[in-house]
Amino acid sequence: MNEHDSQRIAGILEADGYSETSNSSDADVVLLNTCCVRAKAEQKVLSEIGKLSLLKARRNFILAVCGCMAQKEKRKIIKRFPEVDIVLGTNDVIHLKKAIDKAKKGEKTIFASSDFKSFNSAIPFLKKGNIKEFVTIMEGCNNFCSYCIVPFVRGRERSRPLEEIICEVEHLAKGGCKEVTLLGQNVNSYNSPSSDACDFSTLLEKINEIEGIERIRFVTSHPKDFDRKLINAIKRLDKVCRNIHLPLQSGSDKILKLMNRNYTVEEYMEKIELLKSEIPEVGISSDIIVGFPGEDEEDFNYTLNAIEKIRFDTLFSFCYSHRPPAKSSTLDETLTIEEKLERLNLLQSIQRKISMEKNIAEEGKIKAVLVEGVSKRSSKDLTGRTEQNRVVNFKGDESLIGKIVQVKITKAYSNSLRGRIDR
């Protein structure tokens, strides 16, 4: 979602005559598009602002901070770093051009409105004719998980009109895009404001009909809203990838209740079992938070047991950190950072073993791979992904980029697969 937001920012600047540079030392405008979902993300931003402030002392340029951290911190950023010229919240990049014009006159702009009612569809997008693109279908969240800051910096749920989404995907397809990833804090809750009959499953059906698009992915689903109708849509629609990201967060019912997740481990397991029974080849990834306030050793062991039983293909795991004004930030920490890291390391070691075993099970299979480009590790290799989102590297001609090819898997590694084109 942040990558997509950065595309929107770049689109505004390109429309105003700017071109992108990878070197901040050459830039007239430097923008940091920020995240604050974890404390570590904020620390990285502060470190980067510090470096850019030193650079700005030697060579003047416009420095802007945008996104979630800008929404959360507002005036605190400029107070700590007076070198920053512009602070724009998550729903305010539409004001970027005006803010840059003011910065050229030496005026600062702080704009982080709390009006999240509108969906800024009019913002230009920088589309580069990529094989894969992101498409936002909704913004905000109504779930208010106790650890999560998203509703406070992104607002409540608001869905984008069906017609706008279809128009954008058709435009991307004409430009050579083969795979779209639909974005939303909780895509299961999508409901087009322009069509009462268009829920998320129906949206998938509509996009599945668009000529030129060959693969459809989406993130993220909430377990409480993940139902049989969506599973049936994934099974029935040929372009929808057999790959689901379904955050578990904890294997303990006690912790899930404290997190305000509105499902039990048993209910989650039942949905996973249904998903696997209907789509045996499905790839499943998840999120886990380690060290939530109140998590004792028994709770943590429940999480380990869940991971070993479900056997996720990929797992994104993090240590808990307070995110005011999220509700859990009022709870007392019950673990030290060292204890959290010890649990996290154990959990990740178990998941690495499971992921490796699942990759090894792919050896000898023939998989459909969308060729995304030349491998970053070797200019002699092409790289792409299976429907289950596994990276595959193999020898092949660059004329295959953008095509789906059949690849026989010859070797498994911890984070990727090796293969050869099946003739």
Side-chain angles (χ1 to χ4, degrees):
M1 187 160 285
N2 280 8
E3 288 181 40
H4 188 52
D5 285 347
S6 294
Q7 284 187 336
R8 302 172 86 182
I9 293 169
I12 293 171
L13 292 172
E14 187 182 62
D16 198 32
Y18 289 87
S19 58
E20 197 172 345
T21 175
S22 58
N23 189 346
S24 57
S25 297
D26 298 330
D28 299 300
V29 181
V30 178
L31 302 101
L32 295 178
N33 184 29
T34 65
C35 174
C36 62
V37 74
R38 290 190 293 143
K40 187 176 181 180
E42 282 195 5
Q43 292 162 6
K44 286 183 178 180
V45 172
L46 295 173
S47 174
E48 193 64 26
I49 296 176
K51 293 175 185 176
L52 290 168
S53 296
L54 292 174
L55 178 62
K56 190 172 178 180
R58 299 194 301 271
R59 186 186 68 80
N60 192 39
F61 54 86
I62 294 171
L63 178 56
V65 179
C66 308
C68 292
M69 186 174 171
Q71 181 71 35
K72 176 173 173 279
E73 297 299 333
K74 299 181 176 69
R75 296 184 180 277
K76 292 180 182 178
I77 294 173
I78 287 182
K79 185 176 181 180
R80 180 169 177 178
F81 299 100
E83 297 83 2
V84 173
D85 301 292
I86 299 168
V87 176
L88 290 178
T90 54
N91 210 38
D92 299 304
V93 293
I94 193 71
H95 303 292
L96 179 58
K97 184 181 182 302
K98 186 184 296 184
I100 289 175
D101 290 341
K102 288 176 65 178
K104 290 176 180 177
K105 300 175 185 176
E107 301 176 31
K108 295 187 184 294
T109 297
I110 303 172
F111 207 115
S113 72
S114 56
D115 177 16
F116 294 106
K117 295 178 183 178
S118 59
F119 195 109
N120 285 329
S121 303
I123 296 175
F125 290 84
L126 180 61
K127 300 298 184 184
K128 301 181 179 180
N130 295 327
I131 302 302
K132 305 194 303 180
E133 293 283 6
F134 299 113
V135 176
T136 297
I137 66 167
M138 64 183 300
E139 293 179 342
C141 187
N142 291 345
N143 290 313
F144 285 89
C145 300
S146 68
Y147 54 81
C148 186
I149 199 172
V150 166
F152 303 98
V153 295
R154 292 272 184 177
R156 304 295 289 269
E157 286 178 2
R158 55 204 182 277
S159 295
R160 189 177 178 192
L162 168 66
E163 297 79 8
E164 288 186 6
I165 297 170
I166 297 302
C167 182
E168 183 176 347
V169 176
E170 288 176 341
H171 175 74
L172 292 174
K174 289 175 183 176
C177 175
K178 300 297 181 182
E179 176 182 301
V180 291
T181 299
L182 309 180
L183 300 177
Q185 265 79 25
N186 180 17
V187 292
N188 310 110
S189 297
Y190 175 81
N191 187 19
S192 174
S194 60
S195 174
D196 292 338
C198 186
D199 60 7
F200 183 58
S201 296
T202 305
L203 176 64
L204 290 176
E205 291 177 4
K206 300 288 186 183
I207 297 176
N208 198 74
E209 297 169 358
I210 296 176
E211 186 176 349
I213 296 298
E214 298 190 34
R215 283 188 172 176
I216 304 166
R217 300 186 188 274
F218 56 86
V219 287
T220 294
S221 293
H222 194 294
K224 74 178 179 63
D225 301 317
F226 190 76
D227 57 17
R228 183 181 289 273
K229 183 179 181 182
L230 180 54
I231 292 174
N232 289 340
I234 297 167
K235 180 180 180 180
R236 177 170 46 86
L237 301 174
D238 62 312
K239 296 179 182 179
V240 178
C241 289
R242 277 57 177 160
N243 180 237
I244 297 296
H245 184 71
L246 197 63
L248 172 60
Q249 303 299 11
S250 174
S252 163
D253 284 341
K254 182 190 86 177
I255 299 300
L256 289 177
K257 187 173 182 179
L258 287 171
M259 289 178 168
N260 192 37
R261 291 292 285 172
N262 293 307
Y263 57 83
T264 65
V265 176
E266 182 179 0
E267 289 168 342
Y268 183 94
M269 293 284 196
E270 287 173 353
K271 294 185 180 189
I272 292 293
E273 288 171 8
L274 176 61
L275 181 60
K276 288 181 175 180
S277 66
E278 292 294 324
I279 311 172
E281 72 276 20
V282 70
I284 305 172
S285 58
S286 192
D287 296 339
I288 293 289
I289 296 173
V290 171
F292 188 86
E295 179 190 271
D296 58 26
E297 190 170 352
E298 183 179 35
D299 298 316
F300 178 63
N301 286 333
Y302 285 145
T303 297
L304 296 183
N305 291 338
I307 290 170
E308 291 178 324
K309 183 175 181 179
I310 296 169
R311 293 179 61 81
F312 295 111
D313 295 75
T314 308
L315 192 63
F316 301 90
S317 49
F318 317 95
C319 288
Y320 169 82
S321 59
H322 281 327
R323 300 282 76 210
K327 187 176 180 180
S328 68
S329 63
T330 64
L331 301 176
D332 292 333
E333 292 271 21
T334 51
L335 296 172
T336 65
I337 186 60
E338 291 77 16
E339 289 170 325
K340 290 180 189 177
L341 287 171
E342 184 179 355
R343 290 184 181 182
L344 182 66
N345 290 334
L346 175 57
L347 181 147
Q348 290 179 340
S349 68
I350 292 172
Q351 180 58 44
R352 281 194 296 271
K353 181 174 180 292
I354 293 171
S355 296
M356 188 68 209
E357 289 170 353
K358 300 203 83 168
N359 282 353
I360 290 172
E362 297 294 295
E363 291 181 351
K365 294 181 181 179
I366 297 173
K367 308 295 291 187
V369 175
L370 174 60
V371 186
E372 298 174 11
V374 176
S375 172
K376 293 180 180 179
R377 293 191 173 184
S378 172
S379 60
K380 298 178 181 179
D381 287 341
L382 296 178
T383 189
R385 291 176 186 265
T386 66
E387 277 198 65
Q388 293 74 26
N389 211 31
R390 290 189 174 92
V391 175
V392 184
N393 297 304
F394 55 95
K395 301 290 183 187
D397 189 86
E398 289 187 30
S399 63
L400 296 175
I401 294 174
K403 298 179 180 178
I404 293 179
V405 298
Q406 301 298 314
V407 177
K408 185 171 184 178
I409 306 305
T410 57
K411 181 67 175 177
Y413 300 95
S414 56
N415 297 312
S416 65
L417 303 171
R418 183 80 196 172
R420 65 169 182 268
I421 294 177
D422 188 56
R423 303 293 184 182

